[in-house]
Amino acid sequence: MDIDALLTSAAINTGLSVLLFSLYSILRKQPSNTIVYFGRRLASLNNRNSRNHFSFERFVPSPSWIVKAWETTENEILAIGGLDAVVFQRILVFSIRVFSIASVTCLFLVLPVNYYGQEMKHKHIHAESLNVFTIANVKEGSRWLWAHCLTLYIISCSACVLLYFEYKSITKMRLAHITTSPPNPSHFTILVRSIPYLVGESYSNSVKKFFTNYYASSYLSHQIVYRCGLVQKLMVDAEKICMKIKAAPKGQSSLKPCCLCGGSTSFKVLTDEPESVKDSFSYSNLNLATSDNERSAAFVIFKTRYAAVVATQMLQSPNPMSWVTELAPEPHDVLWSNLCIPFRQLWLRKIATLLASIVFMVLFLAPVTFVQGLTQLEKLSQTFPFLRGFLKQDLINHVLTGYLPSVILMLFLYTVPPTMMLFSSVEGPVSHSRRKRSACLKILYFTIWNVFFVNHVSGGFLFAFNMLSSVGDIPVELAKAIPNQASFFVTYVLTSGWASLSCEVMQPFSLLCNFLKKHLLRNHEDSSDGLVSFPYHTEVPRVLLFGLIGFTYSVMAPLILPFLLIYFLLAYLVYRNQIVNVYITKYEGGGQLWPIVHNTTIFSLVLTQMISLGVFGIKKSPVASGFTIPLIICTLLFNEYCRQRFSPIFKKDVAQVLLEMDRRDEQSGRMEEIHQQLHSAYCQLPLTSHEFCESVHKLCQDNIRGREGTKSGKEPSEVSEPCAVCNFGKEGSIGE
């Protein structure tokens, strides 16, 4: 690919990005799109944008959102999105810093060496091939390869220093988050799974006897896990219906059917007759908290944080597969459906999802190979001779080589996150954050393998098919393939990077759903039920993949660095805006993403150094090769130091910190109040079904009395709303 093709791709992506950013600055001002672009604020402030009047300013693009995102402080991000949001912002800040250093060093030191690496007659810049700007243009045995080695040292040392300070800072923030936040029920609670079954005794009694016997001084209470399914769904639906009844205006029914969803609920509006209310209730099947519904899992609550941690650090019985304990997730983070999975099934599920992930990665080789075929027009014209005349046109050539391959690969990659999230759900994690973290790792491994390695290998085979002849030559051939694939990854940064940020800020799916709801269904109410949390499982792998590409090509093809730096700067502003305005925080992950970031960055650095070592060997520069080996060793030693110094704090709780928190709460007299709050923290069903139906029955009786009062001369405004009853029995029991 030549510079003209690169400029064509850059122009297309720049134009699309400017257009979408301008369109976003207009759409965000429209009152009808408040729930799309200010969903988090709408949920927290419980108000709506009142600018319904027409104004010219609403239809003029403006950069005000960029200024507001830039002015948002880290403390505000911490208060809004939690520690995970701060960690994600630190990833972008780290990337901006390290690639700013790399851009200055490589563009002024490495790029001229690459360009004048061989004695040749250069064309005009716009007609030059991209290979002229890569290390492939440096002749063998050149004494100027020391510039590449020196740049590699500067980038590696800068990255390690910045990583160290970021790891240290985030570790302090994690400890401060634990000590300064309000009492967290998860610090007092453990999750017990694989509870042994005893004939004639419920799981609840078994848990109580076990912990009162062996943890008598520290055991407080427990909450057994009940079977999930239809009952759980009914309870959730009942809560939503009650909220709608409470929020409905006087004289209007809030039970509106959905035209598009087509889903049926177990709620029906009762008539005014008292007999219909009396006949609709059957309490025989309403008691959910029975021994038949109990599962072999429970949340056990202790009196102190330290006691809960101690209980998770040792085996509870001689059989390691019984009474398995771990620290409980936060109440809002619990994935209740997976708690019903038998503990002995988990290892089978993990093996099955691993095999499924491998099969999915193998099947994904087909679109990657197709994309690589588009980048090699000579091979494409040989395979399809009838396309030769069509492919010779300059515009078609530039679009096919500079834009279309990255777009096709990006479209295929959109299928990866939902697939990996499904695999992570099947594994059986007990919390939403753990499921997202598992999906994040799967997507990261998938993208690194299929986007980075497979693209290089397929490209290398197209240029050097004899790579298969000798397995020992694979490292050398891989070192040859890296510079040759620089053009594809430059366009990939433009397409998948810049365009993805434009789509992220536009929120096209939410915008379409909001348009259909308000203009087709005529529902103009802004509800926060459909708001989602930040998709860390998709965005963290994306940012880390660009970091890997940046480290690998910084020395090999430094022309990629300006485009990459622009991506990180835009991402910093876009994601800040999304955290502040769009996404809500449902649970706190405690900064557990940073070890993934650190390990991936170290992997990227070591891979870059090993590829550089291979390239220096191909270029016959023993001095550069010799100086690269100590750099690899020092990077691995640095990683081991960080693993010993900081990583344990993200895996285990600190006993000293927990003991100090327990003593502080006891001295202040707050411990008893905390204990009272803990009893209901992990209640799977906030109200038992009997209590719930009693409350609904009372509401219906009040409704009937109100309607009778209306018939006797009361005002209609004094009549209560029609009540909805949850049918826990058969579907046809109400109204028959």
Side-chain angles (χ1 to χ4, degrees), residues 135-386:
I135 198 172
N137 195 52
V138 179
K139 63 182 180 181
E140 296 181 359
S142 174
R143 61 187 180 88
W144 288 103
L145 285 170
W146 66 264
H148 299 77
C149 184
L150 177 63
T151 304
L152 186 64
Y153 262 85
I154 294 174
I155 295 174
S156 299
C157 293
S158 301
C160 289
V161 171
L162 292 173
L163 270 179
Y164 173 79
F165 285 110
E166 291 293 345
Y167 216 151
K168 184 178 180 181
S169 175
I170 293 173
T171 301
K172 291 182 179 179
M173 294 179 66
R174 174 175 168 80
L175 294 176
H177 170 74
I178 295 174
T179 55
T180 59
S181 60
N184 192 338
S186 63
H187 294 162
F188 295 85
T189 310
I190 67 172
L191 174 62
V192 183
R193 308 183 76 179
S194 189
I195 302 171
Y197 175 74
L198 299 178
V199 180
E201 191 169 4
S202 64
Y203 285 116
S204 182
N205 290 334
S206 299
V207 172
K208 185 175 181 180
K209 288 182 179 180
F210 182 88
F211 284 94
T212 52
N213 185 21
Y214 298 106
Y215 295 90
S217 60
S218 57
Y219 167 75
L220 182 63
S221 64
H222 73 277
Q223 175 62 53
I224 205 73
V225 175
Y226 295 98
R227 181 178 58 189
C228 301
L230 178 61
V231 171
Q232 184 74 20
K233 181 180 182 299
L234 288 173
M235 294 299 294
V236 174
D237 289 344
E239 184 179 357
K240 290 182 179 179
I241 290 294
C242 287
M243 294 300 294
K244 289 185 177 182
I245 292 174
K246 293 178 181 178
K250 292 292 183 181
Q252 298 180 10
S253 173
S254 62
L255 302 177
K256 297 179 181 178
C258 178
C259 300
L260 295 181
C261 298
S264 61
T265 64
S266 299
F267 301 97
K268 296 185 178 180
V269 179
L270 299 181
T271 63
D272 298 344
E273 300 301 326
E275 288 76 12
S276 66
V277 179
K278 294 178 182 178
D279 296 339
S280 63
F281 282 100
S282 176
Y283 294 100
S284 58
N285 297 322
L286 293 182
N287 189 13
L288 306 181
T290 62
S291 58
D292 294 335
N293 291 328
E294 291 179 353
R295 302 291 92 184
S296 60
F299 290 99
V300 179
I301 303 170
F302 289 84
K303 296 179 181 178
T304 62
R305 302 172 179 86
Y306 180 74
V309 171
V310 170
T312 61
Q313 299 301 315
M314 58 183 67
L315 294 175
Q316 304 300 325
S317 70
N319 182 7
M321 298 294 289
S322 298
W323 297 104
V324 181
T325 59
E326 61 178 302
L327 284 174
E330 291 184 359
H332 294 291
D333 194 16
V334 177
L335 195 58
W336 291 101
S337 58
N338 283 351
L339 293 179
C340 300
I341 299 174
F343 181 77
R344 290 174 173 82
Q345 280 188 14
L346 294 180
W347 69 277
L348 291 174
R349 288 171 172 263
K350 291 181 179 179
I351 293 175
T353 53
L354 176 62
L355 295 177
S357 301
I358 294 174
V359 171
F360 184 62
M361 292 174 69
V362 172
L363 294 177
F364 205 82
L365 293 177
V368 174
T369 304
F370 173 72
V371 167
Q372 281 300 319
L374 291 178
T375 62
Q376 312 299 327
L377 292 185
E378 296 178 359
K379 299 292 182 181
L380 193 63
S381 60
Q382 292 177 5
T383 306
F384 304 101
F386 59 90

Side-chain angles (χ1 to χ4, degrees), residues 698-711:
K698 183 177 183 300
L699 179 62
C700 292
Q701 293 292 346
D702 294 340
N703 181 31
I704 294 169
R705 285 194 295 269
R707 291 180 180 260
E708 290 176 351
T710 304
K711 294 177 182 179

Side-chain angles (χ1 to χ4, degrees), residues 124-145:
H124 294 290
I125 293 295
H126 66 86
E128 290 280 14
S129 172
L130 261 163
N131 288 335
V132 176
F133 299 92
T134 68
I135 198 172
N137 195 52
V138 179
K139 63 182 180 181
E140 296 181 359
S142 174
R143 61 187 180 88
W144 288 103
L145 285 170

Side-chain angles (χ1 to χ4, degrees), residues 511-524:
L511 189 64
L512 178 62
C513 293
N514 182 65
F515 177 82
L516 294 176
K517 184 184 78 170
K518 292 188 175 181
H519 295 278
L520 294 184
L521 301 180
R522 301 297 180 181
N523 184 3
H524 297 281

Side-chain angles (χ1 to χ4, degrees), residues 604-622:
S604 303
L605 286 173
V606 174
L607 180 64
T608 301
Q609 294 159 5
M610 294 181 67
I611 292 174
S612 299
L613 179 63
V615 172
F616 293 153
I618 293 174
K619 295 297 181 180
K620 298 180 181 179
S621 177

